[in-house]
Amino acid sequence: MLSRLTLRDFRNHEDALIVPSAPFVVLTGDNGAGKTNILEAVSLLVPGRGLRGAALSRMARQDGPGGFGVAGQVDGVTLGTGTIADAPERRQIRIGGVAHAASALAEHLAIVWLTPAMDRLFMDGAGERRRFLDRLTLALEPAHAVHSTRYEAAMRARNKLLADHNRAWDEQWLGALEAQMAEHGAAVHAARFALVGRLAEALAAQSEGVFARPLLALSAWEGDERPLDTALRESRRRDSAAGRALVGPHRSDLLVTHQEKGQAAALCSTGEQKALLLSIILAHAALVGAERGRPPVLLLDEVAAHLDPARRLALFGLLGEKGSQIWMTGTEAALFDGIGVASRLHVAEGRISPV
């Protein structure tokens, strides 16, 4: 759990300190007060671009000196990230005061979030679902961040090389890039596939409850029956014309079905889709807790507002069983009646005060 969180010039927070005293951290306040900004700050303590996926330069306080800082303490170790005014898009990472690559954060902390923007997860393109699956995978396999980053870098370099139609391609360099994509792509796919299998088992073991039970599967991609470097080599002409790689694990998709209805999640109601997402998040938290010895930190933005009172109480009970630290936001304190012991904080115009 995060025992301490500090913000400096982050979004609308000039200087903030939160010291949670309970597993539930409840943030209430009006819309635009800065509640989600706090969750976003926490989400930056793992690899990636945070729960909004925003540019780093947009995270610095608009009327501030430039740059921002976020630090969290976990098991006595301080995880820090931020930028400086002279390099607003260059993210700096420090662990215990020592500079590190962002991927090293995953060794210390696992974080999963659910935001209103994710209500369209099953309606949006496959890329959003892959990113969601990768965040879940990262919580169990910290090395997944390294493999994903290197796969994407090799793919971008290959796409740039294939885009040059005015001269002959460097076959040796292309082959080397495709070998890198094959190596790291295999690791990415294997980690995703393993997680989907383990999540499916965890979901099957769950007792019937108020939330829908999903069935999960990872789709194949064109040419996956061949070694990836072979498929890439054979697809060079098509990829050159398309301006992107048409084969590889970046083309797979997370398939979710409402088990009881036998219906694809994309065809379910908004409420059912939210319930399916919650079921996946809860099963994942239990899985991470069992396999890593520590459950992930959960960031749940405006989740309680979309549930009736009975389902809110059921959710609070299920969350309390996971052993996670749960950060939740809402506009009304009454939304969290029945949650039990919690660190309750009120947020107003970038200022945080205990309730």
Side-chain angles (χ1 to χ4, degrees):
M1 296 186 183
L2 281 167
S3 58
R4 183 184 180 94
L5 176 72
T6 57
L7 311 182
R8 176 184 57 77
D9 294 316
F10 183 82
R11 296 288 188 179
N12 67 331
H13 296 279
E14 180 178 359
D15 189 17
L17 169 65
I18 298 176
V19 183
S21 59
F24 282 102
V25 182
V26 176
L27 306 167
T28 56
D30 294 338
N31 291 325
K35 304 183 301 295
T36 304
N37 293 343
I38 296 172
L39 299 193
E40 183 182 29
V42 176
S43 73
L44 292 175
L45 297 177
V46 292
R49 296 175 59 188
L51 59 78
R52 284 191 175 107
L56 291 170
S57 57
R58 296 187 61 185
M59 299 179 190
R61 189 164 59 91
Q62 289 186 359
D63 54 350
F68 69 87
V70 174
Q73 194 167 59
V74 182
D75 296 334
V77 178
T78 299
L79 311 179
T81 187
T83 63
I84 60 175
D86 292 340
E89 291 295 347
R90 183 183 177 186
R91 185 180 179 188
Q92 299 184 356
I93 306 292
R94 290 189 177 275
I95 300 176
V98 179
H100 282 269
S103 58
L105 292 169
E107 299 285 347
H108 297 268
L109 193 61
I111 300 177
V112 178
W113 54 82
L114 191 58
T115 68
M118 292 170 62
D119 288 349
R120 290 192 52 81
L121 182 70
F122 303 121
M123 308 296 292
D124 288 336
E128 290 300 320
R129 289 183 290 279
R130 281 193 300 273
R131 283 186 280 274
F132 171 68
L133 180 58
D134 283 338
R135 288 197 298 273
L136 299 185
T137 304
L138 183 61
L140 278 169
E141 299 287 347
H144 187 66
V146 176
H147 290 298
S148 298
T149 299
R150 292 179 180 175
Y151 177 84
E152 294 287 341
M155 182 167 63
R156 287 194 299 270
R158 178 179 179 271
N159 289 345
K160 184 177 180 180
L161 196 60
L162 291 177
D164 191 346
H165 304 287
N166 298 322
R167 61 179 182 179
W169 297 325
D170 185 332
E171 297 286 336
Q172 186 174 0
W173 181 226
L174 264 179
L177 292 172
E178 289 164 352
Q180 290 181 43
M181 288 180 65
E183 176 188 353
H184 298 294
V188 166
H189 177 72
R192 289 174 178 169
F193 188 81
L195 176 64
V196 168
R198 285 180 285 180
L199 270 178
E201 292 177 0
L203 287 164
Q206 283 184 347
S207 58
E208 292 292 338
V210 295
F211 297 109
R213 179 180 292 175
L215 293 174
L216 306 181
L218 184 65
S219 74
W221 66 85
E222 179 189 348
D224 72 332
E225 72 283 352
R226 294 166 291 168
L228 181 54
D229 53 351
T230 300
L232 288 167
R233 185 168 60 253
E234 293 175 354
S235 187
R236 287 176 183 174
R237 293 294 174 187
R238 289 196 311 143
D239 294 354
S240 176
R244 63 186 187 280
L246 299 175
V247 296
H250 63 284
R251 304 283 290 180
S252 62
D253 193 1
L254 175 64
L255 307 178
V256 181
T257 304
H258 190 302
Q259 180 176 345
E260 184 179 351
K261 288 188 169 185
Q263 188 176 60
L267 301 177
C268 293
S269 69
T270 301
E272 288 171 330
Q273 290 180 5
K274 175 73 81 173
L276 291 169
L277 265 175
L278 281 169
S279 291
I280 294 172
I281 294 294
L282 292 171
H284 177 262
L287 186 61
V288 174
E291 296 204 8
R292 283 191 67 168
R294 62 170 71 183
V297 171
L298 301 181
L299 309 178
L300 306 179
D301 192 17
E302 300 289 353
V303 169
H306 301 285
L307 300 174
D308 58 54
R311 283 183 168 79
R312 282 203 298 269
L313 287 175
L315 175 61
F316 298 156
L318 290 170
L319 290 170
E321 296 172 358
K322 302 304 177 186
S324 293
Q325 185 180 52
I326 304 106
W327 297 63
M328 306 182 75
T329 67
T331 55
E332 303 291 336
L335 291 170
F336 303 98
D337 288 347
I339 201 172
V341 178
S343 292
R344 295 174 178 264
L345 303 169
H346 183 71
V347 185
E349 298 180 353
R351 293 188 298 274
I352 303 169
S353 57
V355 177

